[in-house]
Amino acid sequence: MAAAVVNNRKDNKVKRRFIKPTTIFIFLMLFYPCLQFAIMWFGVNINSILLTFKDKYMGWLPMESLFKNYINVFDNMRDPSIQKMYLNSLVYLVLNCFITLPISLFFAYFIFKKIYMGGVFKVIYYLPSVLPTVILTLVYQSMFNTGGLLYPVFNALGLNSANFFLGGTERWMVWIFCFWTGIGYDVMLLTAGMARIPSDLLESAKMDGVPPLKEFVHIIIPLTWPTITTLFIFGMMGVFGTYLQPMLLTGTTPSTITIGLQIFNDSQGAALNNPATMGMVCTLIATPIVLGIRALLNSFFKEVNF
């Protein structure tokens, strides 16, 4: 009996010396994403914060002027061109949250109600979200240029659509493009959120004689409110993240330059402290605002699990 106990203890010690294949597999699968997160997110953000306390030659600022870069960012806000850049960026808050999102919600409801050719419309809305932005901007701009699909239409009206990206109308072309490419993404997520609503609930409302408008306002919107809130927050992020569309369509035109595009352009130079500081200031300002808006939106309706 004693010998058996001793042998069991020896077997357990031998087993403990070897790592299970399942543990090795899990470790290898998690190692790369964790390493990528540590370098590409944590490391990059820490380095960006440190850059805000350096000068353009990448030397540390003295203690008496440690926050010089932050002071310069706030001082530059008095510049009319910088003020215009911030206003250009705020336009995307209105466009994403108060124009694209409500219209997407309207279209998503009709697709959810399985209107005729609803699947075709869903593909049409979603297609711009599949293709890369570089290709979409090329196709979009070529439609208005000489020989493009829409050029003869505007030419018949006495308009040269090739000049739409110049001379004051370029901002509208960028806004239309962002609306065109953004509506499909919102429709897709909203339709998926509506698909989670139990069909029994909608059938019961239909039997009670609830009209479509009341169904939309009192059932669909409250039950898809978490998705709406998420898309609203994403739309707010467009204030700082929209840079590729104006850059590819109009370049660095003052009427279309945004915060994100300005940071991107400044990052191409040697003085990386300026874009890093601007990004940090925007983060400090936007974080409490986003959290406050999120808490406010979540207070409208209680989240329902089904």
Side-chain angles (χ1 to χ4, degrees):
M1 189 69 178
V5 172
V6 172
N7 290 333
N8 288 333
R9 290 179 179 176
K10 289 182 178 180
D11 292 339
N12 292 332
K13 288 181 180 180
V14 172
K15 290 180 180 179
R16 290 173 184 173
R17 293 176 184 175
F18 298 97
I19 302 176
K20 294 181 180 180
T22 305
T23 305
I24 297 175
F25 175 78
I26 295 174
F27 173 79
L28 294 176
M29 291 297 293
L30 294 177
F31 176 75
Y32 177 73
C34 291
L35 179 65
Q36 187 181 38
F37 174 81
I39 297 175
M40 303 304 296
W41 189 90
F42 189 77
V44 169
N45 283 281
I46 291 297
N47 185 55
S48 298
I49 295 173
L50 296 178
L51 283 173
T52 63
F53 301 105
K54 296 182 179 181
D55 57 24
K56 62 180 180 179
Y57 303 106
M58 297 298 101
W60 293 100
L61 292 170
M63 289 300 299
E64 60 270 14
S65 58
L66 189 62
F67 296 97
K68 178 182 177 181
N69 293 326
Y70 291 91
I71 296 174
N72 290 337
V73 170
F74 286 102
D75 287 341
N76 290 336
M77 291 181 181
R78 302 174 183 175
D79 189 341
S81 61
I82 300 298
Q83 294 176 358
K84 190 172 185 178
M85 177 192 70
Y86 286 111
L87 290 176
N88 290 340
S89 301
L90 289 174
V91 169
Y92 293 97
L93 170 64
V94 179
L95 177 64
N96 296 335
C97 298
F98 299 103
I99 298 178
T100 304
L101 182 56
I103 294 176
S104 300
L105 184 62
F106 181 77
F107 285 148
Y109 176 67
F110 278 91
I111 293 175
F112 170 69
K113 297 299 290 184
K114 299 179 180 179
I115 61 171
Y116 178 68
M117 296 182 65
V120 176
F121 285 110
K122 190 175 182 179
V123 173
I124 293 174
Y125 289 137
Y126 181 61
L127 190 60
S129 302
V130 178
L131 299 176
T133 305
V134 176
I135 297 177
L136 285 174
T137 52
L138 180 63
V139 172
Y140 177 75
Q141 200 167 28
S142 64
M143 288 193 304
F144 296 92
N145 290 336
T146 305
L149 181 64
L150 298 179
Y151 184 83
V153 178
F154 288 100
N155 190 44
L157 298 174
L159 300 173
N160 186 2
S161 60
N163 295 330
F164 284 177
F165 295 90
L166 301 169
T169 58
E170 64 274 5
R171 68 176 75 179
W172 287 95
M173 302 306 294
V174 177
W175 296 342
I176 293 172
F177 175 81
C178 292
F179 172 79
W180 172 53
T181 56
I183 193 171
Y185 180 78
D186 289 358
V187 167
M188 178 191 66
L189 293 183
L190 289 169
T191 306
M194 294 177 187
R196 297 177 57 247
I197 300 176
S199 58
D200 296 343
L201 179 62
L202 300 178
E203 289 292 335
S204 176
K206 185 177 180 180
M207 293 176 62
D208 291 338
V210 177
L213 182 60
K214 286 189 176 181
E215 178 188 76
F216 177 69
V217 174
H218 297 289
I219 298 178
I220 300 298
I221 290 180
L223 294 182
T224 56
W225 192 249
T227 305
I228 297 173
T229 300
T230 301
L231 291 175
F232 192 94
I233 299 300
F234 284 169
M236 293 179 64
M237 293 297 98
V239 175
F240 310 101
T242 302
Y243 75 97
L244 197 58
Q245 299 89 333
M247 181 183 70
L248 295 174
L249 291 174
T250 63
T252 56
T253 306
S255 61
T256 59
I257 195 166
T258 61
I259 297 174
L261 182 55
Q262 184 66 44
I263 292 175
F264 176 81
N265 292 333
D266 292 344
S267 300
Q268 310 306 308
L272 299 178
N273 58 318
N274 293 329
T277 307
M278 183 181 292
M280 192 63 190
V281 169
C282 292
T283 301
L284 294 174
I285 294 175
T287 299
I289 295 176
V290 170
L291 293 177
I293 294 296
R294 181 176 179 271
L296 177 64
L297 293 175
N298 288 335
S299 65
F300 287 167
F301 299 104
K302 293 183 179 179
E303 186 173 355
V304 179
N305 296 321
F306 45 81

